[in-house]
């Protein structure tokens, strides 16, 4: 009896302790706690919180995206990669986990040497492909298609990018219009440009501008020609510059 | 070039100056005809290789077996040139290397009229390419201070040291000099790091010291293509002053560096009167070492330049913006498939450097090799010539084949067998050379086409000298597996100029490491005598100053050793 009481006290103390540290009882609670920690600059706690949330809800694209942004902030690229590696091993059919895993490789690219960039970019493509194989989606096709465009022409990947982006284009045309759909207009045009199909590039950028009349990136492309346009797009597709892989537009638009 | 020596009186100051009055100004030349220089002067060169009698074709070593052509590419760096006046006739001569077995290096004597005579056989300096060794680079330096330039030839193997016996004859003294350590040396400089009056040697070693001609293991290539640590590092040879050298690498603090060194450069980067060292490394981080003044160096890479992952190829040192601090230029790879950008390290004067290559327009020179600063139009601002190109061959591109190897998970890059055969494929070939006109120290303008130097050969080294002593800097470009090119500077209406040949008396005879600060027309410029800065090339040791419109030199200071020995006129 005495022992049971003592155990009861210990259990109560543990519960109180967890509550005092804000221990979450759900993935969303973990996620919100991590967001708070990140807002206060406690990146260590934030990363741990995001990881807890993702472990409980691996297919949550938002959790993964916010986790990666915190990892970028903390320059914890290796930690992020290792975490997603384990996550997809534990949840091999989680399409969004594979997608975020691919993005984690992309996130590391600007911090890597030129050859390592190639390796990271290629591994990212592998994860994007797994995501598509599990569950084809607009975001997965757009992501992989856009990633192909970063490869220099000599590697002949731009046509693959165009094919993916055309799929994403077809998907978005079949559904309600979202603000992020402008990305496909931009990238598909870049893909056409990169495969020397200037007429189609201009056509898709023009169509995009009709749909999104205020888009500065579309305007900038349509205002340029020749070397000027090449310089502009090369700059946009510079692997040494950090690509914004924050996916918040997806849920902000819903 | 004036024949008469114009010795400048020294103003000695401080307790050290007695020992420091070591440099005499042997010749100060001013052109007989002074042209009116204008800022619109167009730099122009014409190629006169055959006419000058400087025809020479380099050949990379051929290796046997299925991995032979990969090794062939990895060792295709040995087309080098060393400029030096071996017979003290006032005209700079040319030594060029070859690399295939049995192929001869060549010594061309400058006849003084822009023609040259091949004197290799009489001089006895043709050798070096045998079953055990591959010639890679060469440096003229007077190791015994006898007033005659001796010749060092470094190899993938053991080096060769030729003593200049006078009368155009050289004697192989390698054995007695103690230069017996095997290394895959690709670059060398001569400098007096410990200020004992004798020139020491710093070797940049590419591969680890494995015998590439008799491989015991295929694991000889870089273990990482961005951060390799299995290269050859460097070797520092201390000159004993008795005709021999001893390995001082560890003692000096260089032994921790195990990168793939492609080039070594020296200069007084922090204006303390001591010669510091910059190492350009392939597959990873360049290194910078400051001289402690006691025979040791301290590495300052992290603070001074940070850690890079680029493919460093060249080190040249110059004060491009005339702010009184030596800057450093390093070529990397900036091609369609790899956007590294070169590094123009602007010296901040506080032991740190800032890369301003993008801001100055000197970032992109494709697959860069040698780069040399020189004032080609004598406007007082040093311009820049960069050679490039790895392998120009067939239509197929090796890069697209190579990437399939690179992306294989877990691939061992160090294993020769994992690299796809190169065959007749091109790899960063047919690249146009780059020449940059210095626009007042703030930016550079690319002018290679207008200047007539935009050839597309597979460049490696640059030898820069005023071969005809007309006050205009000429260029000799070596190319791998292709003929070299001699460019005569025919720029019209160049600015006025002064050239100084320094001769050490107590210091090393070549005065390597001495600094000249010259003021003319309100512009103060500095130059240092260097012992072979620049990949696969050694340039004229005379210091060349463009003066623009100034027809009078207002002040000359010559600093050496501790920076206290001031000579003024």
């Amino acid at each position: 009896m005495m022992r049971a009481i003592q155990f009861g006290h210990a259990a109560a103390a543990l519960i109180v302790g967890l509550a005092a540290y804000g221990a979450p009882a759900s993935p969303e609670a973990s996620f919100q706690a991590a967001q708070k920690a990140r807002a206060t600059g406690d990146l260590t706690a934030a990363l741990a919180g995001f990881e807890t949330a993702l472990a409980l809800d691996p297919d949550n694209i938002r959790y993964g995206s916010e986790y990666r942004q915190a990892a970028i902030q903390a320059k914890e690229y290796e930690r992020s990669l290792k975490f997603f590696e384990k996550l997809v091993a534990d949840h091999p059919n989680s399409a969004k986990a594979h997608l975020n895993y691919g993005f984690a490789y992309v996130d590391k690219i600007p911090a890597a040497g030129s050859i390592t960039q190639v390796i990271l970019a290629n591994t990212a493509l592998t994860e994007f492909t797994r995501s598509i194989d599990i569950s084809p989606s607009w975001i997965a096709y757009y992501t992989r298609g856009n990633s192909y465009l970063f490869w220099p022409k000599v590697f002949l990947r731009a046509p693959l990018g165009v094919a993916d982006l055309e799929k994403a284009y077809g998907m978005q045309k079949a559904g309600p219009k979202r603000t992020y759909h402008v990305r496909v207009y931009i990238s598909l045009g870049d893909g056409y440009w990169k495969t020397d199909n200037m007429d189609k590039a201009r056509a898709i950028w023009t169509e995009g501008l009709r749909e999104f009349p205020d888009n500065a990136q579309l305007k900038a492309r349509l205002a340029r020609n020749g070397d000027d346009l090449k310089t502009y797009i090369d700059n946009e597709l510079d692997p040494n510059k950090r690509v914004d892989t924050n996916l918040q537009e997806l849920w902000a638009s819903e | 070039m004036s024949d008469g020596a114009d010795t400048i009186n020294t103003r000695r100051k401080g307790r050290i100056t007695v020992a420091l009055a070591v440099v005499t100004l042997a010749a100060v030349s001013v052109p007989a005809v002074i042209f009116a220089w204008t800022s619109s002067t167009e730099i122009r060169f014409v190629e006169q290789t055959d006419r000058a009698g400087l025809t020479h074709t380099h050949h990379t070593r051929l290796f046997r077996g299925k991995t032979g052509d990969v090794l062939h590419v990895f060792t295709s760096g040995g087309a080098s040139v060393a400029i030096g006046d071996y017979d003290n006739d006032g005209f700079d001569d040319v030594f060029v290397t070859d690399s295939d077995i049995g192929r001869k290096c060549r010594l061309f004597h400058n006849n003084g009229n822009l023609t040259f005579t091949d004197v290799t056989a009489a001089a006895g300096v043709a050798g070096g390419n045998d079953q055990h060794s591959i010639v890679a680079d060469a440096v003229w330096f007077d190791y015994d201070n006898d007033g005659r330039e001796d010749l060092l030839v470094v190899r993938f193997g053991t080096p060769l040291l030729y003593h200049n016996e006078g009368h155009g004859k050289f004697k192989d003294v390698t054995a007695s000099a103690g230069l017996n350590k095997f290394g895959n040396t690709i670059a060398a400089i001569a400098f007096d790091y410990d200020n004992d009056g004798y020139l020491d040697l710093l070797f940049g070693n590419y591969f680890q010291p494995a015998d590439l001609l008799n491989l015991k293991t295929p694991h000889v290539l870089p273990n990482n293509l961005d951060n390799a640590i299995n290269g050859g590092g460097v070797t520092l040879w201390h000159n004993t002053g008795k005709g021999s050298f001893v390995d001082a690498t560890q003692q000096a603090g260089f032994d921790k560096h195990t990168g793939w060194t492609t080039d070594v450069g020296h200069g007084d980067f922090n204006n303390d009167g001591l010669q510091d060292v910059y190492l350009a490394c392939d597959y990873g981080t360049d290194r910078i070492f400051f001289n402690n003044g006691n025979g040791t160096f301290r590495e300052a890479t992290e603070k001074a330049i940070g850690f890079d992952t680029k493919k460093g190829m060249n080190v040249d040192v110059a004060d491009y913006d005339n702010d009184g601090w030596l800057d450093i230029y390093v070529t990397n790879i900036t091609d369609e498939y790899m956007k590294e950008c070169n590094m123009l390290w602007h010296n901040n004067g506080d032991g740190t450097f800032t890369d301003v290559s993008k801001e100055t327009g000197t970032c992109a020179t494709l697959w860069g090799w040698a780069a040399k600063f020189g004032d080609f139009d004598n406007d007082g601002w040093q311009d820049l010539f960069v050679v490039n190109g790895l392998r120009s061959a067939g239509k197929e591109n090796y890069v697209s084949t190579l990437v399939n190897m690179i992306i294989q998970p877990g691939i061992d890059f160090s294993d020769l067998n994992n690299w796809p055969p190169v065959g007749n494929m091109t790899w960063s070939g047919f690249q146009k050379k780059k020449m940059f006109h210095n626009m007042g120290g703030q930016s550079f303008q690319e002018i290679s086409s207008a200047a007539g130097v935009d050839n597309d050969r597979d460049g490696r080294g640059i030898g820069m000298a005023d071969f005809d002593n007309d006050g205009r800097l000429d260029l000799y470009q070596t190319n791998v597996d292709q003929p070299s090119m001699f460019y005569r500077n025919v720029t019209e209406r160049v600015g006025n100029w002064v050239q100084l040949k320094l001769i050490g008396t107590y210091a090393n005879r070549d005065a390597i490491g001495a600094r000249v600060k010259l003021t003319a027309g309100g512009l103060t410029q500095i130059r240092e005598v260097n012992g072979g800065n620049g990949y696969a090339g050694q340039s004229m040791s005379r210091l060349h100053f463009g003066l623009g419109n100034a027809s009078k030199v207002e002040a000359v200071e010559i600093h050496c050793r501790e920076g206290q020995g001031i000579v003024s006129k």
Side-chain angles (χ1 to χ4, degrees):
Chain A
M1 182 65 182
M2 194 63 183
R3 287 170 65 92
I5 290 169
Q6 283 177 333
F7 177 76
H9 277 287
L14 180 63
I15 291 165
V16 171
L18 286 171
Y21 284 95
S26 69
E28 184 60 20
S30 286
F31 174 74
Q32 292 302 336
Q35 288 281 58
K36 277 186 189 167
R38 187 180 167 205
T40 61
D42 187 353
L43 292 174
T44 306
L47 289 171
F50 287 131
E51 286 170 357
T52 303
L54 275 165
L56 295 168
D57 187 2
D59 219 24
N60 191 310
I61 195 168
R62 184 182 183 192
Y63 295 174
S65 174
E66 295 298 330
Y67 171 60
R68 287 186 299 94
Q69 302 315 305
I72 292 168
Q73 215 175 331
K75 296 187 169 65
E76 290 276 11
Y77 306 110
E78 283 306 315
R79 172 174 173 160
S80 172
L81 287 171
K82 280 184 183 152
F83 173 77
F84 279 116
E85 182 184 16
K86 183 172 185 312
L87 193 69
V88 299
D90 293 344
H91 305 277
N93 294 318
S94 176
K96 300 297 190 293
H98 282 287
L99 191 67
N100 266 310
Y101 188 17
F103 274 124
Y105 282 106
V106 174
D107 291 339
K108 194 183 169 188
I109 286 175
S114 52
I115 303 292
T116 308
Q117 285 179 342
V118 174
I119 297 166
L120 292 169
N122 191 70
T123 317
L125 285 171
T126 303
E127 291 306 317
F128 296 148
T129 299
R130 282 182 186 143
S131 179
I132 289 170
D133 290 346
I134 295 163
S135 174
S137 64
W138 177 92
I139 181 64
Y141 276 120
Y142 163 72
T143 299
R144 190 176 69 175
N146 193 46
S147 299
Y148 280 130
L149 301 188
F150 281 79
W151 289 70
K153 279 178 90 168
V154 66
F155 299 129
L156 307 175
R157 305 224 169 170
L160 302 173
V162 168
D164 277 356
L165 290 162
E166 284 177 339
K167 284 198 180 91
Y169 173 77
M171 286 177 167
Q172 70 185 37
K173 291 295 273 185
K177 181 177 165 182
R178 305 286 186 195
T179 56
Y180 50 79
H181 286 165
V182 69
R183 290 169 176 261
V184 165
Y185 288 108
I186 295 168
S187 295
L188 184 52
D190 289 358
Y192 289 141
W193 171 84
K194 204 156 189 175
T195 50
D196 301 320
N197 203 333
M198 199 58 222
D199 290 344
K200 287 181 88 169
R202 289 212 165 273
I204 198 74
W205 288 330
T206 303
E207 183 187 330
L209 197 61
R210 274 201 303 272
E211 295 288 321
F212 302 93
D214 297 327
N215 189 274
Q217 292 184 71
L218 287 168
K219 286 179 184 172
R221 282 162 170 79
L222 286 165
R224 287 171 166 79
N225 283 297
D227 287 347
D228 191 20
L229 180 62
K230 179 180 186 310
T231 303
Y232 182 85
I233 296 180
D234 283 348
N235 187 49
E236 294 282 296
L237 299 176
D238 182 351
N240 295 307
K241 294 169 82 172
R242 179 164 296 287
V243 177
D244 182 5
T245 60
N246 190 336
L247 304 175
Q248 64 179 350
E249 215 180 340
L250 287 178
W251 48 91
S253 176
E254 296 295 336
Chain B
M1 186 76 189
S2 160
D3 289 328
D6 185 357
T7 304
I8 289 178
N9 294 324
T10 61
R11 171 166 52 85
R12 299 178 180 184
K13 56 185 256 188
R15 62 184 173 79
I16 312 173
T17 50
V18 175
L20 294 178
V22 292
V23 172
T24 55
L25 198 60
V28 181
S29 305
V30 179
V33 181
I34 296 175
F35 295 95
W37 170 84
T38 66
S39 59
S40 60
T41 294
E42 192 175 277
I43 295 171
R44 267 203 344 110
F45 289 82
V46 290
E47 199 217 330
Q48 297 189 347
T49 316
D50 293 340
R51 184 172 152 186
L54 282 168
T55 307
H56 173 72
T57 300
H58 173 266
H59 307 80
T60 300
R61 181 60 57 95
L62 297 172
F63 293 85
R64 288 187 298 270
K66 73 182 183 74
T67 59
D69 64 345
V70 175
L71 264 182
H72 178 82
V73 173
F74 266 84
T75 57
S76 65
S80 71
V81 53
I83 308 293
D85 181 9
Y86 77 87
D87 57 350
N88 290 327
D89 65 354
F91 290 94
D92 276 310
D93 310 298
V94 178
F95 181 78
V96 286
T97 62
D98 207 335
S99 300
D100 201 7
I101 190 162
R103 297 279 184 181
K104 294 173 180 174
C105 302
R106 293 189 191 199
L107 176 59
F108 293 101
H109 175 255
N110 188 336
N111 301 324
N113 59 358
L114 279 184
T115 68
F116 293 76
T117 303
D118 187 339
V119 294
T120 314
V125 292
N129 290 307
D130 54 36
Q131 290 180 337
H132 305 289
S133 305
I134 305 166
V135 170
D137 196 14
V139 178
W140 293 103
F141 74 123
D142 184 359
Y143 76 90
D144 56 354
N145 292 336
D146 66 354
R148 290 190 291 262
E149 294 295 309
D150 308 302
L151 180 64
L152 174 80
V153 176
V154 297
R155 304 188 288 182
F156 287 5
T158 53
L160 294 170
L161 180 62
Y162 295 106
H163 181 258
N164 187 337
E165 305 280 293
H167 310 292
K169 305 283 186 192
F170 290 79
K171 180 183 174 187
D172 185 343
V173 295
T174 313
S176 60
L179 294 167
N180 53 8
K181 186 176 173 183
F182 182 93
N184 287 307
T185 307
I186 197 166
I189 53 170
F191 72 133
D192 183 8
Y193 76 93
D194 57 350
N195 287 326
D196 65 354
Y198 289 94
L199 288 173
D200 312 296
L201 295 166
L202 183 65
F203 288 4
N205 306 316
Y206 195 58
F207 295 82
Q208 57 191 280
D211 184 352
L212 302 176
L213 295 162
N214 295 287
L215 278 179
K216 301 285 187 291
T217 168
H219 297 275
V220 293
L221 299 185
N223 57 349
N224 183 303
L225 301 184
D226 291 323
N227 288 295
I229 53 169
N230 65 335
V234 295
T235 309
L236 180 66
W237 291 101
H238 176 246
N239 187 335
T240 64
K242 297 171 185 169
S244 64
F245 295 79
V246 292
D247 185 349
T249 313
Q250 186 177 8
Q251 189 184 346
F254 286 116
D255 56 317
K256 302 288 189 296
H257 168 58
T258 59
W260 287 67
T261 315
T262 36
D263 199 18
V264 292
H266 71 100
D268 180 2
F269 302 141
N270 55 359
N271 289 353
D272 65 353
L274 301 166
Q275 288 295 301
D276 310 304
V277 166
Y278 188 101
L279 309 179
C281 298
D282 210 348
Y283 314 109
T285 306
D286 291 358
R287 306 278 169 182
I288 190 164
F289 291 80
F290 287 110
N291 193 327
N292 294 321
N294 60 358
T296 68
F297 290 79
R298 62 187 182 280
E299 183 174 358
T301 306
E302 186 171 11
K303 183 188 170 204
I305 55 173
F307 298 121
D308 78 89
T309 56
K310 300 182 181 182
K311 318 290 171 280
M313 303 291 186
N314 173 82
V315 185
D316 198 31
V317 177
D319 179 13
Y320 77 91
D321 58 350
N322 289 331
D323 67 352
W325 296 87
L326 290 176
D327 312 296
I328 302 166
Y329 189 69
V330 179
T331 52
N332 297 301
I333 301 173
T334 310
D335 207 334
E336 186 206 348
Y337 59 91
M338 197 185 290
K339 310 282 185 190
E340 289 190 326
C341 211
N342 297 329
M343 297 180 294
L344 176 51
W345 291 117
H346 176 259
N347 191 332
N348 300 322
D350 60 358
T352 69
F353 296 77
T354 302
D355 177 15
V356 295
S357 63
K358 277 187 181 165
E359 293 82 349
T360 55
T362 55
C363 150
T365 59
L366 301 165
W367 186 303
W369 292 97
K372 284 304 292 180
F373 285 103
D375 188 350
F376 301 131
D377 57 356
N378 295 340
D379 64 353
W381 300 94
Q382 293 189 78
D383 312 299
L384 182 62
F385 182 49
V386 186
V387 299
N388 53 23
L390 176 63
R391 187 171 198 266
S392 302
K395 283 182 180 171
E396 222 177 323
N397 190 333
Y398 185 64
V399 170
S400 47
T401 302
L402 182 63
V403 78
N404 294 324
M405 182 274 283
I406 288 173
I407 62 178
Q408 281 181 48
I411 191 83
D412 179 0
F413 295 125
S414 77
D415 189 342
L416 259 174
N417 297 307
N418 288 336
W419 288 68
V422 184
N424 191 40
M425 286 185 267
T426 288
W427 185 358
S428 284
F430 306 105
Q431 300 190 336
K432 297 278 190 185
K433 307 299 157 276
K434 306 289 182 186
M435 179 168 276
F436 298 98
H437 185 216
N438 188 333
M439 312 298 283
Q442 298 301 308
S443 63
F444 289 81
Q445 184 182 10
E446 211 285 305
I447 57 162
S448 58
S449 176
V453 293
D454 61 334
N455 70 82
D456 64 358
R457 290 189 183 164
D458 295 330
R460 289 296 182 273
I462 299 170
M464 183 179 68
D466 181 3
F467 288 108
D468 53 351
N469 294 341
D470 69 347
R472 293 177 289 193
L473 293 172
D474 310 302
L475 296 165
Y476 190 85
Q477 173 190 324
T478 59
N479 304 300
V480 76
D481 293 313
Q482 292 169 333
S484 299
M485 304 174 85
F486 170 59
Y487 284 109
R488 181 185 178 193
N489 187 337
V490 293
T491 306
E492 295 179 359
R493 296 185 301 150
V494 294
N496 298 322
W497 53 276
V498 164
Q499 289 177 3
L500 304 179
K501 180 178 173 63
L502 306 184
I503 298 172
T505 50
Y506 294 107
N508 69 83
R509 179 90 181 176
D510 288 338
I512 289 173
R515 174 181 289 198
V516 174
K517 187 174 172 185
L518 182 146
T519 303
L523 189 66
T524 299
Q525 304 175 55
I526 61 168
R527 302 278 190 281
E528 283 188 359
V529 183
N530 75 79
N533 284 348
Y535 179 80
Q538 180 182 25
S539 293
M540 175 178 86
S541 63
R542 256 181 287 155
L543 300 179
H544 176 92
F545 291 86
L547 305 180
N549 280 324
S551 55
K552 179 180 156 190
V553 174
E554 289 145 21
V556 179
E557 293 177 12
I558 302 177
H559 300 249
C560 71
R561 289 206 178 173
E562 305 285 337
Q564 303 296 313
I566 298 176
V567 181
S568 63
K569 183 176 182 181

